[in-house]
């Protein structure tokens, strides 16, 4: 039985910010305009009932719930208390981890009292120093949100909440970014590649240089940050690096939707109760995530009838020919599905960050190897990697490995029929 153990509840379909790179509002899809502004308590109850059925059938003992938006804090603290109580009481045999992902602008002490009493964790989005954060993360009147977010973060720290989420921005010097997180005493952060695909390249990529073999702006930035971070004896936890190091050393980390070979058991519940694939795929084209499934009428597992969910769930197996031949396929997994999209051939591509990933992985692997004693190296059986060698390997493809049906399915999402 296929298990869904992670849910993103889109409890608000609108946001008090208007971030320029946001997949919800400013990339390929405007269907959020048809959604109710907030998820009703009836829909929370319907979700909890459907999950109770699914958890019994699939034998689920642990699940993650992320309250997401839009901006989830546009609702009120009482709403959150109700949601957590309803879900826990309806699904008593599952242990839950609750998180709210917020832009941080509306945080105040009342929120923290609820987060603590209901064991809700917190992730705040911050994109670096004021100058850079305010370029993208703006209110609807164009005013930057940095001051408000930092105020929220400082209050979060006082209350024992520490996690930051940052969208990568190679235009921001890595050193300035690191100085900022040290200044704010950030203890834990994660990094995200910006949404985008072959026909909508993200900021930080020069379209004219995108095809150059040596052009890897995201890797260059990440390598600089990795070096600064590694040398800092009092460094914060950067999950992005820690996960990659663990995977490179053959640890137990099996990946996530961006890396590795793991299946992606994340489902989005929309404000109207629709059961959908992860919503950052909306950057691909208008309506790609939409279907007719809803917690008021369908079972959670009905999502497996949705073609796009099937590709997403198995996205590290259903990859293009190039990825199947790639020396770092086991770690990269072809990258996040949404970053593989092109209007002309759907998802039959490596991620737009392919070269960056190859350069970054080779750098980190070689860097680790240089620091390890010889006997540990022998035990690990890990060899140094060369960017140039790997790029060469990708050109020397032999016998076709891709399954024809998988290829057809990946291509079937193309838009210029
Ligand atoms: S590095 Fe590139 S070719 Fe290799 S698996 Fe990742 S996306 Fe595919």
């Amino acid at each position: 039985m296929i298990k869904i153990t992670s849910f993103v509840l889109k409890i608000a379909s609108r946001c008090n910010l208007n971030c320029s790179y946001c997949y919800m509002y400013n990339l390929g899809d405007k269907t959020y305009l048809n959604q109710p502004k907030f998820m009703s308590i009836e829909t929370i109850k319907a979700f909890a009932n459907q999950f109770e059925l699914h958890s019994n059938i699939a034998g689920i003992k642990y699940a993650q719930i992320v309250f997401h938006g839009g901006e989830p804090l546009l609702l009120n603290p009482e709403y959150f208390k109700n949601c957590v109580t309803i879900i826990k009481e309806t699904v008593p045999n599952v242990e839950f981890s609750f998180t709210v992902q917020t832009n941080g602008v509306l945080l105040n002490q009342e929120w923290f009292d609820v987060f603590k009493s209901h064991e809700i964790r917190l992730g705040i989005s911050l994109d670096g120093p004021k100058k850079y954060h305010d370029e993208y993360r703006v209110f609807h009147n164009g005013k930057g949100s940095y001051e408000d977010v930092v105020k929220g973060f400082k209050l979060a720290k006082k209350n024992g909440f520490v996690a930051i989420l940052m969208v990568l921005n190679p235009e921001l010097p890595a050193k300035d970014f690191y100085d900022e997180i040290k200044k704010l005493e950030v203890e834990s952060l994660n990094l995200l590649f910006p949404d985008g695909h072959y026909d909508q390249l993200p900021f930080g990529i020069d379209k004219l240089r995108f095809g150059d073999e040596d052009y890897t702006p995201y890797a260059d930035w990440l390598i600089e940050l990795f070096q600064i971070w590694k040398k800092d004896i009092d460094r914060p936890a950067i999950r992005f690096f820690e996960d990659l190091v663990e995977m490179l050393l053959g640890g137990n980390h099996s990946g996530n939707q961006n890396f590795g070979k793991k299946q992606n058991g994340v489902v989005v519940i929309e404000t109207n109760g629709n059961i959908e694939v992860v919503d950052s795929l909306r950057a691909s084209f208008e309506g790609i995530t939409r279907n007719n499934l809803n917690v008021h009428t369908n079972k959670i597992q009905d999502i497996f009838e949705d073609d796009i969910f099937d590709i997403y769930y198995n996205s590290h197996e259903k990859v293009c020919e190039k990825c199947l031949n790639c020396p770092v396929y086991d770690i990269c997994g072809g990258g996040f599905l949404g970053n593989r999209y092109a209007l002309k051939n759907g998802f039959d591509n490596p991620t737009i960050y392919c070269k960056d990933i190859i350069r970054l992985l080779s750098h980190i692997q070689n860097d680790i190897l240089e620091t390890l004693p010889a006997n540990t190296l022998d035990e690990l059986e890990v060899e140094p990697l060369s960017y140039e060698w790997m790029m060469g390997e990708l050109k020397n493809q032999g016998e076709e490995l891709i399954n024809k049906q998988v290829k057809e399915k990946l291509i079937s999402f193309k838009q210029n029929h």
Side-chain angles (χ1 to χ4, degrees):
M1 174 74 192
I2 296 169
K3 297 181 184 192
I4 302 294
T5 54
S6 190
F7 294 89
V8 176
L9 301 188
K10 309 290 283 186
I11 57 176
S13 67
R14 306 295 197 272
C15 191
N16 51 343
L17 295 188
N18 187 29
C19 305
S20 53
Y21 54 64
C22 180
Y23 62 82
M24 281 277 291
Y25 308 113
N26 292 322
L27 297 178
D29 190 311
K30 294 277 176 235
T31 54
Y32 74 92
L33 291 168
N34 306 326
Q35 285 288 324
K37 286 186 179 159
F38 301 110
M39 185 180 283
S40 69
I41 287 296
E42 285 63 41
T43 298
I44 293 284
K45 286 179 185 165
F47 159 71
N49 285 328
Q50 291 298 354
F51 184 56
E52 164 67 353
L53 287 175
H54 181 66
S55 64
N56 283 335
I57 296 167
I60 293 168
K61 293 282 166 236
Y62 172 80
Q64 290 178 301
I65 305 282
V66 180
F67 295 112
H68 209 284
E71 171 50 40
L73 301 194
L74 288 174
L75 286 131
N76 56 52
E78 206 54 39
Y79 177 93
F80 277 72
K81 286 187 201 167
N82 280 339
C83 288
V84 170
T85 306
I86 290 165
I87 293 169
K88 279 184 169 175
E89 285 181 1
T90 312
V91 198
N93 296 326
V94 170
E95 186 191 331
F96 286 97
S97 137
F98 294 97
T99 304
V100 56
Q101 182 61 42
T102 171
N103 59 39
V105 167
L106 297 170
L107 285 166
N108 59 31
Q109 192 54 47
E110 194 187 355
W111 280 114
F112 289 109
D113 294 342
V114 174
F115 296 156
K116 284 194 265 193
S117 63
H118 286 68
E119 296 179 320
I120 301 172
R121 289 190 288 193
L122 181 71
I124 302 177
S125 301
L126 178 77
D127 283 358
K130 179 174 169 54
K131 177 179 161 203
Y132 297 93
H133 178 96
D134 282 354
E135 195 172 328
Y136 299 104
R137 300 190 69 82
V138 293
F139 289 94
H140 290 270
N141 63 6
K143 179 180 166 275
S145 62
Y146 177 85
E147 310 288 356
D148 302 78
V149 178
V150 167
K151 196 166 143 222
F153 176 69
K154 286 184 175 165
L155 190 57
K157 265 192 73 79
K158 257 192 211 157
N159 283 277
F161 295 84
V162 291
I164 286 278
L165 186 64
M166 185 224 172
V167 176
L168 289 170
N169 178 3
E171 288 158 10
L172 150 65
K175 169 87 170 62
D176 291 1
F177 168 69
Y178 201 74
D179 288 347
E180 176 76 6
I181 59 175
K182 292 295 284 187
K183 183 183 90 184
L184 295 174
E185 299 176 2
V186 174
E187 290 167 38
S188 168
L189 76 147
N190 206 357
L191 304 170
L192 279 181
F193 282 116
D195 290 312
H197 54 74
Y198 284 87
D199 294 288
Q200 196 163 48
L201 292 173
F203 59 83
I205 292 185
D206 178 346
K207 290 184 179 64
L208 298 175
R209 298 183 61 202
F210 178 62
D212 295 354
E213 189 159 307
D214 248 7
Y215 182 60
T216 53
Y218 281 88
D220 301 345
W221 193 92
L222 283 161
I223 287 168
E224 201 182 331
L225 183 70
F226 181 77
Q227 287 302 331
I228 299 169
W229 176 71
K230 194 188 74 168
K231 286 180 190 136
D232 180 3
I233 46 169
D234 186 27
R235 57 183 170 264
I238 302 186
R239 223 171 75 207
F240 184 93
F241 290 142
E242 291 174 344
D243 289 354
L244 287 182
V245 168
E246 190 178 341
M247 289 165 83
L248 282 164
L249 291 176
N252 288 331
H253 199 290
S254 53
N256 49 41
Q257 66 175 3
N258 302 315
F259 289 107
K261 300 294 285 294
K262 199 173 158 219
Q263 289 167 319
N264 297 312
V266 184
V267 157
V268 166
I269 308 297
E270 274 294 338
T271 44
N272 66 354
N274 273 8
I275 310 169
E276 296 186 0
V277 69
V278 68
D279 53 341
S280 45
L281 288 174
R282 285 185 204 165
S284 304
F285 62 87
E286 176 94 7
I288 185 170
T289 66
R290 301 306 187 194
N291 57 41
N292 295 318
L293 305 173
N294 191 288
V295 289
H296 291 282
T297 48
N298 291 88
K299 297 186 176 68
I300 299 288
Q301 53 268 33
D302 290 349
I303 187 72
F304 289 101
E305 292 162 16
D306 188 2
D307 272 351
I308 185 64
F309 184 81
D310 174 54
I311 291 189
Y312 167 73
Y313 187 82
N314 297 296
S315 65
H316 297 311
E317 294 295 330
K318 294 185 176 180
V319 295
C320 68
E321 181 68 24
K322 192 171 171 184
C323 295
L324 291 173
N325 285 283
C326 175
V328 288
Y329 168 46
D330 282 351
I331 295 169
C332 171
F336 174 59
L337 182 65
N339 300 138
R340 301 181 207 164
Y341 189 73
L343 292 167
K344 74 172 184 349
N345 65 347
F347 295 106
D348 191 24
N349 303 294
T351 162
I352 52 172
Y353 298 111
C354 172
K355 287 178 290 166
D356 296 273
I357 289 170
I358 289 176
R359 196 184 290 284
L360 178 67
L361 290 179
S362 57
H363 176 87
I364 296 180
Q365 174 142 322
N366 297 344
D367 194 89
I368 297 168
L369 295 186
E370 277 170 22
T371 61
L372 291 177
N375 56 341
T376 314
L377 279 179
D378 291 344
E379 278 167 31
L380 283 173
E381 295 178 5
V382 182
E383 295 288 330
L385 289 170
S386 140
Y387 175 76
E388 291 71 24
W389 173 76
M390 286 198 283
M391 294 303 287
E393 283 296 290
L394 292 180
K395 286 181 201 144
N396 298 329
Q397 296 192 359
E399 194 186 329
E400 189 167 279
L401 300 175
I402 193 166
N403 174 298
K404 277 202 167 54
Q405 282 164 335
V406 169
K407 188 172 176 75
E408 276 166 22
K409 197 154 192 188
L410 293 172
I411 293 175
S412 69
F413 288 89
K414 69 179 185 176
Q415 286 295 288
N416 54 347
H417 299 278

